[in-house]
Amino acid sequence: MDTIKSIGYPIYFSDSLGQLANFIKQSKYSRFFILTDENTGKHCLPLLNEKLAGMENFDLIEINAGEESKDIDFCIGVWKMLIDFGADRQSLMINLGGGVVSDLGGFAASTFKRGIDFVHVPTTLLSQVDASVGGKTGIDIDSIKNIIGTFTQPKAVFIEYDFLKTLPARQILSGLAEMLKHGLICDSGYWSLLKASDLKKPAPELVYYSVEIKNKVVIEDPKEMGIRKSLNFGHTVGHAVETYSLLNDGGKALSHGEAVAIGMICESFLSHKKAGLSADELEEIVNVISGLYPKYSISEDIFAELYTYMQKDKKNQNGKINCTLLTQIGQYSIDHVCTEDELYESLKYYTKIQYATFR
Amino acid sequence: MDTIKSIGYPIYFSDSLGQLANFIKQSKYSRFFILTDENTGKHCLPLLNEKLAGMENFDLIEINAGEESKDIDFCIGVWKMLIDFGADRQSLMINLGGGVVSDLGGFAASTFKRGIDFVHVPTTLLSQVDASVGGKTGIDIDSIKNIIGTFTQPKAVFIEYDFLKTLPARQILSGLAEMLKHGLICDSGYWSLLKASDLKKPAPELVYYSVEIKNKVVIEDPKEMGIRKSLNFGHTVGHAVETYSLLNDGGKALSHGEAVAIGMICESFLSHKKAGLSADELEEIVNVISGLYPKYSISEDIFAELYTYMQKDKKNQNGKINCTLLTQIGQYSIDHVCTEDELYESLKYYTKIQYATFR
């Protein structure tokens, strides 16, 4: 697996932590700040420390694990720590963690003193195949995901497969949703490969292919003016369900991938209704997803609430809800305006699917 | 006075509000948000409304006048209003006001949904010759000025000279400090012209020349890697004094320009000590500034506090305080490390100058 070239920066796959140590040794940064959460601080930081042994000037900023840490209040906390530590413009931020760490750390760095450099060391499958590539940073306000952010590229990304080995199954499933999405929107061959693989433990090659697909998309359209919208498949409904769950389910909230899995079923239904996706392919998608993910109970009473979250989606224009749909497996189509009724119908469709397990 | 071309956007000087109306008519924005403060809302907005009569989709966001409004808490307020108003990515933010409005509005816009477009309609002399040009946005945390921000260019700047006619004398003086700085760092001819002019009411041409000088500097170095640091002359000490005054003087706090005027005297002294500025030119600078600005009382007891603010300056590297100095009038020299003792000496020099007026 070669190093992938993204927008002005490399994505390393082989001996990634060694590459990070080289990157730091060869750099001229004055100071280094490692942003972690309590989990990566425990499970991943020791491995990093081993590789960086003997190097100086590292300061640690630890946040709580979980989406709640992406709130603006926590971002202010990170900024204040950078101030207190005396971070200057020649400092480097090293984001060691999942998507929360890379989104928040990327945003905090890209705005601190009008921008300091940062690199990502993604430690979850989700952040390896999604958040770490593409230059999106973001934080939440009032639980509205990534409502504030920048497009700022990291200086490098270091993808260490070994970090995945200790991840709980639910975390693997969360990243898997984005991998399935990559196949569905762009690459039917990759979709077939995924179907035929052991998806409880995705092989390194599958991670690599996903990053390659995502990278191709974002290189063509860094600021989401066109093709990059393809990556939003499953996310219009998915983000709404995720926001709802985050506000209502406490410690049992859906993971990002679990919510996107629901979103992909709803938006595949809409794809069948509005964009030409065949009934067979709809069924195939539903079978794969419902075979992997537990069912989430969505009562009709909350459809209206979900709809208000969809209305706040960044992709909308003139208050209309804008979905990316599939014309077939491996082929997306952007800018489908979906009505309230259509979205409700898609949610009803989801609730009627037969699942092996219920949560 | 022609339109000045900046980094991908025009700066209009003639019939500027008419140009703004054209800009809006010809654009494809879905929504328009005007950010004002209570003063510009009263004095400038009516003029704008006249020009925009009959156009729709305008929403108003009003903040309190004053540097306090640049605090992150107010920025969150602006973001939340954009959310509540349902602003989408095709919205335009129109920053109608002084530097606080353009810095805050620019930052809020450049990060809302990862960036919406904005234009500046600067209403003070200071914002016309300084904040509106160059693509710096910024907000404050714990009274540390512009500690958070981005480099994002506006889509256009509309400089309306008529707005200056109703400004109080202190506001004119505040902008004048930056104009004097432009002469001192880059253009001895402009400095001589300023000396020979009625500076209580700077003519339109003087405003134009200042914008031209600033624009040349920022085009060459948008991200402040080299020559743009020239613009920091007077600002190392100036920002520290401004922060101190803001925290201690309540309603009587120094204006930005008043603080920079003090900074320019201190840093001219350092220029004489360390960078070859002649004693005669130092005296000339001190005479011009002390003839325009009231004296501010700086007791030796607060030198240490001022120094801690200087240590937090964005321009520093490795904890060392970095000043832009003059080798002669019209010629700057960047990256002079100044010691604590040298900075104290420059403050002492300031306190000993004979002024016409004391405040």
Side-chain angles (χ1 to χ4, degrees):
Chain A
M1 293 184 294
D2 292 337
T3 299
I4 292 178
K5 280 182 196 155
S6 191
I7 305 168
Y9 66 92
I11 305 169
Y12 294 103
F13 284 87
S14 306
D15 183 27
S16 295
L17 294 185
Q19 295 285 1
L20 173 60
N22 285 341
F23 178 90
I24 289 172
K25 270 181 213 155
Q26 288 161 16
S27 75
K28 289 183 178 169
Y29 294 107
S30 60
R31 304 278 299 275
F32 299 91
F33 296 90
I34 302 178
L35 184 69
T36 60
D37 65 29
E38 63 216 59
N39 294 335
T40 49
K42 203 185 297 170
H43 299 296
C44 306
L45 189 60
L47 215 59
L48 197 72
N49 280 336
E50 232 171 71
K51 292 281 181 181
L52 304 182
M55 299 188 198
E56 282 166 34
N57 271 328
F58 286 88
D59 284 299
L60 203 65
I61 302 178
E62 190 174 295
I63 57 172
N64 294 334
E67 180 76 23
E68 295 83 353
S69 291
K70 267 179 73 176
D71 188 83
I72 176 69
D73 287 339
F74 289 88
C75 182
I76 294 172
V78 173
W79 282 329
K80 287 191 177 180
M81 286 194 77
L82 289 171
I83 294 170
D84 290 344
F85 277 131
D88 63 27
R89 283 182 169 170
Q90 285 70 41
S91 302
L92 179 74
M93 180 90 107
I94 299 165
N95 298 315
L96 176 72
V100 168
V101 166
S102 58
D103 286 1
L104 168 65
F107 180 71
S110 73
T111 52
F112 184 74
K113 299 191 176 186
R114 298 202 182 90
I116 61 173
D117 285 353
F118 59 92
V119 297
H120 294 315
V121 187
T123 57
T124 63
L125 181 58
L126 177 59
S127 59
Q128 290 191 352
V129 299
D130 189 29
S132 71
V133 181
K136 280 190 180 180
T137 76
I139 57 169
D140 307 341
I141 289 185
D142 291 344
S143 297
I144 307 171
K145 283 174 63 74
N146 299 320
I147 185 71
I148 303 302
T150 60
F151 286 103
T152 314
Q153 305 300 331
K155 290 295 156 186
V157 175
F158 304 90
I159 293 185
E160 178 59 56
Y161 186 75
D162 281 355
F163 285 148
L164 305 183
K165 290 180 182 164
T166 56
L167 282 185
R170 255 192 94 191
Q171 287 258 25
I172 295 291
L173 272 181
S174 186
L176 191 60
E178 297 291 341
M179 296 169 70
L180 294 167
K181 183 192 76 179
H182 292 147
L184 288 173
I185 59 172
C186 282
D187 192 333
S188 59
Y190 179 56
W191 168 259
S192 302
L193 183 61
L194 286 171
K195 276 197 303 176
S197 304
D198 173 11
L199 294 181
K200 310 259 158 173
K201 286 184 185 171
E205 291 73 28
L206 294 177
V207 177
Y208 182 86
Y209 292 145
S210 247
V211 172
E212 217 175 21
I213 291 173
K214 170 147 194 197
N215 190 51
K216 260 186 213 154
V217 172
V218 299
I219 282 180
E220 265 191 63
D221 178 20
K223 293 219 168 173
E224 201 163 0
M225 311 304 275
I227 168 179
R228 186 166 182 166
K229 291 185 188 170
S230 64
L231 297 170
N232 290 322
F233 175 66
H235 283 64
T236 302
V237 175
H239 271 161
V241 173
E242 187 178 7
T243 299
Y244 173 83
S245 177
L246 201 63
L247 291 173
N248 291 281
D249 296 339
K252 289 183 176 176
L254 291 172
S255 72
H256 177 68
E258 285 166 345
V260 168
I262 296 167
M264 287 196 293
I265 288 178
C266 294
E267 294 173 32
S268 293
F269 171 81
L270 291 168
S271 300
H272 173 57
K273 287 273 292 182
K274 295 168 66 84
L277 183 74
S278 72
D280 285 353
E281 291 201 327
L282 171 61
E283 199 187 332
E284 179 181 332
I285 295 167
V286 170
N287 283 342
V288 169
I289 293 176
S290 63
L292 288 163
Y293 294 85
K295 186 157 190 177
Y296 181 68
S297 165
I298 302 179
S299 131
E300 290 199 23
D301 301 343
I302 68 160
F303 284 8
E305 183 176 347
L306 292 175
Y307 186 70
T308 61
Y309 299 137
M310 293 181 213
Q311 286 179 306
K312 289 182 181 164
D313 193 282
K314 287 186 295 302
K315 300 177 291 293
N316 297 335
Q317 209 169 333
N318 291 316
K320 286 174 183 162
I321 291 177
N322 214 336
C323 289
T324 295
L325 300 179
L326 305 176
T327 57
Q328 59 183 59
I329 288 176
Q331 188 62 54
Y332 68 87
S333 168
I334 63 171
D335 290 336
H336 287 268
V337 171
C338 293
T339 66
E340 194 171 347
D341 282 348
E342 287 168 339
L343 289 157
Y344 287 1
E345 208 186 336
S346 78
L347 288 165
K348 266 183 219 155
Y349 175 80
Y350 173 78
T351 62
K352 286 181 188 150
I353 293 168
Q354 297 299 317
Y355 267 73
T357 51
F358 265 81
R359 53 181 281 160
Chain B
M1 292 186 295
D2 292 338
T3 299
I4 291 178
K5 281 182 197 153
S6 192
I7 305 166
Y9 66 92
I11 305 169
Y12 295 102
F13 284 88
S14 306
D15 182 28
S16 294
L17 293 186
Q19 294 285 1
L20 173 60
N22 285 340
F23 177 90
I24 289 172
K25 270 181 214 156
Q26 288 161 16
S27 76
K28 289 182 178 169
Y29 295 106
S30 61
R31 304 278 301 275
F32 299 90
F33 297 91
I34 302 178
L35 184 69
T36 60
D37 64 30
E38 62 215 61
N39 294 334
T40 49
K42 202 185 298 170
H43 299 297
C44 306
L45 189 60
L47 215 59
L48 197 73
N49 280 337
E50 233 171 72
K51 293 281 180 181
L52 304 183
M55 298 188 199
E56 280 166 34
N57 271 329
F58 286 88
D59 284 299
L60 203 65
I61 302 177
E62 190 175 295
I63 57 172
N64 294 334
E67 179 75 23
E68 296 82 354
S69 291
K70 269 179 70 177
D71 189 83
I72 176 70
D73 287 338
F74 289 88
C75 182
I76 294 172
V78 172
W79 282 328
K80 288 192 177 180
M81 286 194 78
L82 289 171
I83 294 170
D84 290 344
F85 277 129
D88 64 25
R89 281 182 171 170
Q90 285 70 41
S91 303
L92 179 73
M93 179 91 106
I94 299 166
N95 298 315
L96 176 71
V100 167
V101 166
S102 58
D103 286 2
L104 167 66
F107 181 71
S110 73
T111 52
F112 184 74
K113 299 192 177 187
R114 298 203 182 91
I116 60 172
D117 286 352
F118 60 91
V119 297
H120 294 314
V121 188
T123 57
T124 63
L125 181 58
L126 177 60
S127 60
Q128 292 191 351
V129 299
D130 188 30
S132 71
V133 181
K136 280 190 181 180
T137 77
I139 57 168
D140 307 341
I141 289 186
D142 292 345
S143 297
I144 307 172
K145 284 174 64 71
N146 299 319
I147 186 72
I148 303 302
T150 59
F151 286 102
T152 313
Q153 305 300 332
K155 290 295 157 186
V157 175
F158 305 90
I159 294 185
E160 178 60 57
Y161 186 74
D162 281 356
F163 285 148
L164 305 184
K165 290 179 181 163
T166 56
L167 281 186
R170 256 191 92 192
Q171 287 257 24
I172 295 291
L173 272 182
S174 186
L176 190 61
E178 297 292 342
M179 296 168 71
L180 294 168
K181 182 193 75 179
H182 291 146
L184 287 174
I185 58 172
C186 282
D187 192 331
S188 60
Y190 180 56
W191 168 258
S192 300
L193 183 62
L194 287 170
K195 275 197 304 175
S197 304
D198 173 11
L199 295 181
K200 309 261 157 166
K201 288 184 184 171
E205 291 73 28
L206 294 178
V207 176
Y208 183 85
Y209 291 145
S210 246
V211 172
E212 217 175 22
I213 290 172
K214 173 149 191 197
N215 189 51
K216 261 186 212 154
V217 171
V218 299
I219 282 179
E220 265 191 63
D221 177 19
K223 293 218 166 171
E224 201 164 1
M225 312 303 276
I227 168 176
R228 186 165 182 168
K229 290 186 189 170
S230 65
L231 298 169
N232 290 321
F233 174 66
H235 282 64
T236 302
V237 175
H239 270 160
V241 172
E242 188 179 5
T243 299
Y244 173 84
S245 177
L246 201 64
L247 291 173
N248 291 281
D249 296 339
K252 291 184 175 174
L254 291 172
S255 72
H256 178 66
E258 285 166 345
V260 168
I262 296 167
M264 287 196 291
I265 288 178
C266 293
E267 294 173 34
S268 293
F269 171 81
L270 292 167
S271 300
H272 172 58
K273 287 272 293 185
K274 294 169 64 85
L277 183 73
S278 73
D280 284 354
E281 291 201 327
L282 170 60
E283 199 185 330
E284 180 182 331
I285 295 168
V286 170
N287 282 341
V288 169
I289 295 177
S290 63
L292 289 163
Y293 294 85
K295 187 157 191 177
Y296 182 67
S297 167
I298 303 178
S299 127
E300 288 200 23
D301 300 344
I302 68 160
F303 284 9
E305 184 176 345
L306 292 174
Y307 186 71
T308 61
Y309 299 137
M310 293 180 212
Q311 285 177 308
K312 289 181 180 164
D313 193 283
K314 288 188 295 300
K315 299 177 292 295
N316 297 334
Q317 209 169 336
N318 291 316
K320 285 175 182 163
I321 292 178
N322 214 336
C323 290
T324 295
L325 301 179
L326 305 176
T327 57
Q328 59 184 58
I329 288 176
Q331 187 62 57
Y332 68 87
S333 168
I334 63 171
D335 289 337
H336 288 267
V337 171
C338 294
T339 65
E340 194 171 347
D341 282 347
E342 287 168 339
L343 290 157
Y344 287 1
E345 206 185 338
S346 78
L347 288 165
K348 265 184 219 157
Y349 175 80
Y350 174 77
T351 62
K352 286 182 186 148
I353 293 168
Q354 297 300 317
Y355 267 72
T357 50
F358 265 79
R359 53 182 278 159

